[in-house]
Amino acid sequence: MAVVESILDIPVQDPAEEEFCWADLTWTKFRTSEREDDVALIPYERVDAFIIGECSNIECPTRFHIERVRKRSFGSLKEYKNDDYLEYRLYWCSFGPENYGEGGGILPSRRYRLNTRNRAARPQSMRGCKCHFVVKRLYARPSLALLVYNDNDRRHVNDSGFVCHGPLDRDAIGPGAKKIPYICNEIQQQTMSMIYLGIPEENVLEKHIEGIQRYCGSNAKVNSLASQYVHKLGMIIRRSTHELDLDDHASIQMWVERNRKSIFFYQDTSEADSFILGIQTEWQLQQMIRFGHRSLIAADSTFGIKRLKYPLSTLLVFDSRQHALPVAWVITRSFAKLDVSKWMKALLGRARSVEPGWKVSGFLIDDAAAEIDPIRDIFCCPVLFSLWRVRRSWLRNIVRKCNNIEVQREIFKRLGKIVYSIWGGVDTLAALEELAQDFVDQTAFMEYFKASWVPKIEMWLSTIRTLPLASQEASGAIEAYHVKLKAKLFDDSHLGALQRVDWLVHKLTTELHSSYWLDRYADESGSFQNVKEEYIAATSWHRALQIPDSAVTLDDQEQLFAKVLSQKDSSLTRLVWNPGSEFAFCDCAWSIQGNLCKHVIKVNTICANHQSYQPSMSFQSFKEILMNLWRKPMDDSVSLDLSVAWTHQMLDQLQKLVELTGSSDIGTVVNNLPLKWVSKKGRTNVGKRSPTLALPSSSQGMQTAAVRKKNRKRKRLSRLRVIYTWPSSKKMDWLVS
């Protein structure tokens, strides 16, 4: 093995394989004044491929978790060496470093112990494995990663030098464990999800065998053991029950004790406190960090407020296909500001314990009575409002309580006009009184509307007027989750268990969780094509994208309706009344149930390109916010300049976002970006980075700039003092030179 003393002498390696391990690299002995290590240099973007390759070790299949992390920011080092790190990560085999086996020693409790990811499946399976390696992202060359992987650290052995896990482990946990094929978390979750969703055992076994054959060869013994595993797991799941105790309160306490990792907040009922249970599995935490960072979080609140013992609130993120993905469930009857702040702080703290820089860009609510202050104070982001709950509630009750379809269309259209007129200064009470007089014969609906909506209509309209409104795509995604949740929970076979919290928790963490896990897995892996197709078409927005523009015919004269030709049956045409409005009414079965259907979305998309139709409410809300910002300063003052600056900044960001989204070539966008010049000192000094010329972004940055300026002044003064303390002859010589 070659020995070098400089990182610059180590060649960069980029194996052609999609996944590679340490055996595919040529290692170099890197020697410093302090130590000597086996290292290799690879592109930083290939680090994940190296980790996956190391996990796929046939003799000792495993996963690696992050044991220790250190980070630096650019510009934090004035002088640095070639091997200094920008980011340092220590990866350790998930069967260590603790040893929970016989005679093993458990490491003392550490702050980051609970924050590590990709651990072994069970704590008792941690066997003190010493295999670990270091990934250092170089400060001088951030595009490269230095792998430090010494020969003694590559073996999956314990302190005694024996193989501690995998097929070669003679002391494996359980009888005959060294003969049982390796089952990683992904395969286990896949098998459990398929069983929970009622997929036949033959299909489950086929997919299970395909998964374990990635780690061991195909033979009759492996297939037999896999069949036994699937059969026993199916029996355990079918025989499992939500009733851990006859008393619901005692049962939920037992569940909490057994599932601490899946709980981010728990508050038991007492005289002073209300019951609050916040549920978030490790997979949901990963999805929230992945899709929620610098993106939107939505709330489906107060689900089952009349039928469940405690209402259910769901926090959703929008995944890569903009589908609503549940990342946390909160079961509580209390919506007080103090209680909401408690579980929101716990949820945010859990996310930032894994990703310290995690931040939300916006929070969508669907309830006008929801507490907004905790969201703004804790998540520090703007709050948006979604109309889907109002629209769904009105449409469902109109269809249910009015028999004439023409009356249904007209009432829904009139209610939509009242909502659209919130920016026009129309008297809401007068409009409602006129509505009641025009439809006085519709007794059932008007009684419902007066009892349920008239007392709080001002609160809802005020919220719609003051908060930015969410788009139809976001509203459709939230509604799709709501419909799926309702179908899972309000099945006829479970109606007797609705007043038990343990049943609700069991349904959420088994069937519903497995359904979304399998949807995401099918979409990313492509292994379940039918599941993937159903998942893609789960929202009305994606179904609307399959309808061509030529299938839509608009009534250009009076703009009363639009026709949409069915794609399955060419002889069938759907009528959409009040086109271009969020309160459009379609005669299809999905819309009659109160849902936002694909025909309404498609028609509204077409109408958005015609100036004769009114814009969507979300666009009108956005326009109103900009106009209010522009109108705010009434005099020719500095506040006017500030408003103009804010408006242009927002417009600039929107233009860049539209350009980035609509461009098919990212290189064109990058080439059009303006150049950022660095300071002259940074361009002339070699080996030292300098920040770009920009105003300090915080008070700390201003203090740092002031200190640097003060230091430069002191240096100039010190030089002058040195000059004037010299003898006059030396001083003259220095000045001449």
Side-chain angles (χ1 to χ4, degrees):
M1 184 181 297
V3 180
V4 299
E5 295 182 357
S6 174
I7 295 291
L8 301 176
D9 297 332
I10 302 175
V12 180
Q13 304 177 62
D14 191 3
E17 294 83 6
E18 185 176 355
E19 301 167 2
F20 60 98
C21 63
W22 70 269
D24 301 319
L25 298 173
T26 302
W27 296 87
T28 306
K29 190 74 72 174
F30 178 61
R31 181 184 299 164
T32 64
S33 58
E34 300 173 355
R35 55 184 300 160
E36 188 173 296
D37 297 308
D38 297 344
V39 300
L41 208 57
I42 65 172
Y44 182 76
E45 60 185 8
R46 298 299 308 278
V47 170
D48 288 341
F50 174 77
I51 296 173
I52 295 173
E54 282 298 301
C55 293
S56 306
N57 189 338
I58 297 177
E59 295 182 352
C60 299
T62 183
R63 285 191 176 188
F64 285 86
H65 67 266
I66 300 174
E67 185 72 12
R68 190 176 301 129
V69 179
R70 298 171 186 165
K71 292 182 179 180
R72 290 180 176 139
S73 58
F74 282 114
S76 59
L77 297 179
K78 294 184 179 179
E79 297 181 359
Y80 51 85
K81 302 176 183 177
N82 290 325
D83 60 333
D84 280 344
Y85 65 87
L86 179 64
E87 185 177 0
Y88 172 100
R89 291 188 180 225
L90 172 61
Y91 288 86
W92 207 291
C93 172
S94 289
F95 289 89
E98 292 95 334
N99 188 357
Y100 285 80
E102 252 181 52
I106 303 174
L107 295 182
S109 238
R110 295 168 295 180
R111 178 180 63 84
Y112 53 84
R113 167 64 182 88
L114 294 177
N115 302 335
T116 52
R117 294 170 286 177
N118 297 334
R119 287 283 199 172
R122 298 168 298 277
Q124 64 267 26
S125 63
M126 299 182 68
R127 307 297 291 169
C129 183
K130 298 177 64 178
C131 181
H132 64 277
F133 59 89
V134 173
V135 176
K136 292 171 64 175
R137 189 177 186 181
L138 297 179
Y139 190 96
R141 293 186 287 176
S143 61
L144 300 180
L146 183 70
L147 304 178
V148 182
Y149 207 3
N150 293 320
D151 187 46
N152 295 333
D153 301 332
R154 299 172 191 165
R155 303 174 59 209
H156 293 267
V157 297
N158 53 23
D159 290 332
S160 302
F162 297 108
V163 176
C164 53
H165 61 91
L168 302 180
D169 181 14
R170 297 182 179 180
D171 299 322
I173 303 170
K178 51 185 175 290
K179 300 178 182 178
I180 296 177
Y182 175 73
I183 302 174
C184 65
N185 291 343
E186 185 179 277
I187 300 175
Q188 186 179 17
Q189 182 64 54
Q190 170 188 308
T191 306
M192 291 173 61
S193 299
M194 295 176 70
I195 295 174
Y196 276 125
L197 297 177
I199 298 176
E201 188 172 307
E202 296 78 11
N203 299 341
V204 177
L205 178 60
E206 179 183 355
K207 291 296 181 181
H208 182 78
I209 292 177
E210 289 180 6
I212 63 177
Q213 283 179 353
R214 290 182 295 176
Y215 299 95
C216 55
S218 176
N219 55 66
K221 184 65 175 177
V222 168
N223 295 345
S224 175
L225 293 172
S227 177
Q228 295 177 25
Y229 174 83
V230 172
H231 180 67
K232 290 180 180 179
L233 186 61
M235 291 179 60
I236 292 172
I237 291 176
R238 283 189 291 269
R239 293 176 181 177
S240 63
T241 177
H242 60 274
E243 292 186 357
L244 303 179
D245 191 276
L246 293 177
D247 180 63
D248 184 41
H249 183 260
S251 178
I252 202 65
Q253 283 185 326
M254 294 174 64
W255 186 89
V256 168
E257 290 297 326
R258 296 181 182 182
N259 299 271
R260 287 289 181 185
K261 289 186 176 181
S262 299
I263 298 172
F264 69 89
F265 184 80
Y266 176 64
Q267 179 177 280
D268 202 357
T269 309
S270 65
E271 295 181 359
D273 298 324
S274 302
F275 175 83
I276 303 176
L277 177 59
I279 303 173
Q280 185 183 58
T281 65
E282 293 184 358
W283 178 77
Q284 286 179 309
L285 175 61
Q286 294 172 4
Q287 304 310 305
M288 187 177 77
I289 294 173
R290 176 184 177 186
F291 295 113
H293 180 57
R294 298 289 181 183
S295 187
L296 300 175
I297 285 185
D300 175 20
S301 54
T302 63
F303 177 86
I305 195 169
K306 297 180 180 179
R307 305 178 69 178
L308 298 176
K309 182 178 181 180
Y310 292 104
L312 171 68
S313 297
T314 307
L315 293 186
L316 307 162
V317 295
F318 299 97
D319 61 13
S320 55
R321 295 189 181 273
Q322 305 306 327
H323 289 187
L325 185 67
V327 292
W329 293 294
V330 181
I331 304 173
T332 183
R333 191 179 289 125
S334 173
F335 301 100
K337 184 181 298 185
L338 180 61
D339 290 332
V340 173
S341 299
K342 289 179 182 178
W343 64 258
M344 280 191 175
K345 288 179 180 178
L347 183 66
L348 182 63
R350 192 181 195 206
R352 288 185 173 173
S353 66
V354 178
E355 189 64 40
W358 189 79
K359 183 176 176 60
V360 179
S361 295
F363 201 105
L364 272 68
I365 62 172
D366 58 0
D367 187 4
E371 290 289 348
I372 299 177
D373 292 339
I375 300 175
R376 289 173 172 167
D377 296 341
I378 296 170
F379 288 98
C380 301
C381 66
V383 180
L384 289 79
F385 186 78
S386 176
L387 290 168
W388 80 269
R389 185 178 294 276
V390 180
R391 183 189 187 280
R392 178 182 174 84
S393 178
W394 288 355
L395 183 56
R396 283 173 62 86
N397 283 278
I398 288 173
V399 173
R400 188 181 302 167
K401 301 179 186 299
C402 302
N403 297 324
N404 191 322
I405 189 170
E406 294 182 357
V407 174
Q408 294 173 0
R409 296 169 181 168
E410 188 61 27
I411 292 179
F412 197 53
K413 181 179 179 179
R414 293 280 292 275
L415 289 175
K417 285 185 176 180
I418 293 175
V419 177
Y420 266 83
S421 65
I422 57 176
W423 297 294
V426 177
D427 187 356
T428 304
L429 295 179
L432 291 176
E433 185 66 27
E434 183 181 353
L435 177 71
Q437 292 177 0
D438 292 344
F439 297 97
V440 67
D441 56 331
Q442 304 298 321
T443 309
F445 174 75
M446 294 313 300
E447 288 181 353
Y448 152 78
F449 192 79
K450 289 179 180 179
S452 302
W453 285 96
V454 171
K456 56 184 180 182
I457 191 69
E458 285 293 341
M459 177 187 68
W460 283 86
L461 294 180
S462 175
T463 303
I464 295 173
R465 182 169 51 249
T466 54
L467 293 180
L469 299 181
S471 63
Q472 288 191 91
E473 182 179 10
S475 299
I478 301 172
E479 187 181 67
Y481 166 78
H482 181 88
V483 172
K484 185 173 183 178
L485 177 65
K486 188 175 182 179
K488 289 286 183 184
L489 295 186
F490 293 160
D491 187 6
D492 292 339
S493 60
H494 303 124
L495 294 181
L498 293 179
Q499 291 300 310
R500 290 189 65 98
V501 181
D502 56 359
W503 169 84
L504 175 61
V505 171
H506 182 76
K507 292 288 289 185
L508 293 175
T509 56
T510 55
E511 293 185 25
L512 192 65
H513 183 275
S514 299
S515 174
Y516 279 98
W517 186 95
L518 196 62
D519 287 343
R520 290 298 309 156
Y521 180 76
D523 185 45
E524 294 182 347
S525 65
S527 54
F528 299 89
Q529 196 61 33
N530 56 339
V531 176
K532 181 177 180 179
E533 292 174 358
E534 293 178 2
Y535 160 74
I536 293 175
T539 64
S540 298
W541 181 271
H542 280 263
R543 293 194 293 269
L545 295 178
Q546 306 305 315
I547 302 176
D549 295 350
S550 58
V552 179
T553 305
L554 299 177
D555 178 21
D556 294 331
Q557 295 181 354
E558 299 182 2
Q559 300 180 356
L560 295 177
F561 62 88
K563 296 180 180 180
V564 182
L565 185 65
S566 175
Q567 300 302 298
K568 295 181 179 180
D569 186 0
S570 58
S571 62
L572 185 62
T573 302
R574 297 297 182 186
L575 281 178
V576 178
W577 292 85
N578 193 21
S581 168
E582 273 86 346
F583 294 87
F585 187 96
C586 182
D587 59 357
C588 68
W590 188 248
S591 180
I592 294 297
Q593 296 175 14
N595 303 307
L596 182 63
C597 71
K598 61 182 179 181
H599 309 105
V600 170
I601 293 178
K602 184 62 182 181
V603 168
N604 288 351
T605 305
I606 298 294
C607 292
N609 299 323
H610 290 72
Q611 294 183 356
S612 57
Y613 290 88
Q614 60 184 353
S616 65
M617 288 201 67
S618 58
F619 180 80
Q620 288 194 35
S621 173
F622 174 68
K623 180 180 178 181
E624 189 69 18
I625 292 172
L626 290 180
M627 292 301 295
N628 289 338
L629 185 65
W630 178 72
R631 287 198 210 102
K632 189 174 182 180
M634 300 303 295
D635 55 350
D636 195 11
S637 62
V638 175
S639 57
L640 176 61
D641 300 334
L642 186 60
S643 298
V644 171
W646 284 345
T647 306
H648 277 278
Q649 184 181 12
M650 294 173 62
L651 290 175
D652 185 54
Q653 292 179 358
L654 285 173
Q655 289 174 356
K656 291 179 180 178
L657 182 61
V658 170
E659 182 183 3
L660 181 62
T661 306
S663 177
S664 58
D665 185 11
I666 191 64
T668 306
V669 180
V670 174
N671 292 333
N672 293 332
L673 292 176
L675 293 175
K676 287 189 176 182
W677 294 96
V678 298
S679 61
K680 182 178 179 181
K681 183 178 179 181
R683 298 199 303 269
T684 54
N685 285 6
V686 180
K688 292 186 179 181
R689 290 186 178 271
S690 65
T692 56
L693 287 173
L695 291 175
S697 58
S698 64
S699 60
Q700 184 179 0
M702 294 175 67
Q703 292 175 2
T704 305
V707 169
R708 290 177 180 172
K709 187 175 181 180
K710 198 171 183 179
N711 290 339
R712 289 197 296 266
K713 185 176 180 181
R714 287 177 178 175
K715 289 180 180 179
R716 289 196 299 268
L717 291 174
S718 62
R719 291 172 183 171
L720 290 174
R721 291 193 191 101
V722 171
I723 293 173
Y724 283 102
T725 55
W726 284 353
S728 58
S729 59
K730 291 186 177 180
K731 190 187 304 182
M732 291 300 297
D733 294 339
W734 182 84
L735 290 173
V736 171
S737 62

